[in-house]
Each structure stands twice: as structure tokens, then as C-alpha cells.
Amino acid sequence: GESERPKGFKSPFRFLSIFKWEERKGWDVLLSAYFTEFDRSAGVELVLKTRPFYSSSDFDKLIDEFAESRGFPVRNERP
């Protein structure tokens, strides 16, 4: 919660991940951990800087499909 943050902490806290969108880079592990650990009230953001690797470049769609397949909340309910 808000009281657990260090003094002077500014919301949102941003996590940055830079990688090529391919399975061996572990994007599925990253997203699973992020969606499991945080909810919309956590004051965090995950920023992905990525590029396709023999995949679609519609990353919003890929993330939505992944979240749905794993039973995570829909986009407007995720952090």
C-alpha cells in the first residue's frame, strides 16, 4: 500500500524491460510475475521496449491473448 513506500516515493513506479519478443527471452514469465504480483491500486507500470521476432508486432493483442489464456484480468482491470 501507499504507507509501505519509501518517503518521497513518486507514483507510478516504472519497471522497464527491453528485449526482442521471442519465447526464450521470458516475456511470458515477466508478464505472469507482474500480473500476479500487482493490481491496479499498486501504483506501478511495466514499460516494454520490444520488437517482433517472427511474430506479430501488435504487442497489445499478444499481451491481451496471453493474459486471457492464463486467466489474468482484462486490460482495463490490470495494472
Side-chain angles (χ1 to χ4, degrees):
E2 191 69 34
S3 62
E4 299 171 7
R5 294 185 178 145
K7 196 171 196 140
F9 180 84
K10 304 275 188 217
S11 269
F13 183 89
R14 289 184 181 95
F15 295 95
L16 172 63
S17 185
I18 303 170
F19 59 93
K20 184 170 44 172
W21 191 273
E22 62 179 312
E23 189 173 344
R24 72 182 187 90
K25 298 296 184 176
W27 60 264
D28 56 335
V29 176
L30 173 67
L31 293 177
S32 290
Y34 181 75
F35 294 151
T36 298
E37 186 63 30
F38 301 110
D39 61 23
R40 289 190 65 80
S41 67
V44 298
E45 292 178 354
L46 176 59
V47 178
L48 302 178
K49 180 167 174 55
T50 189
R51 59 190 168 97
F53 183 74
Y54 297 106
S55 70
S56 168
S57 61
D58 186 349
F59 298 113
D60 288 336
K61 181 180 177 188
L62 292 169
I63 292 168
D64 288 344
E65 289 172 350
F66 170 78
E68 182 181 353
S69 75
R70 298 288 175 96
F72 291 115
V74 295
R75 176 189 301 250
N76 65 347
E77 296 175 5
R78 293 192 305 255

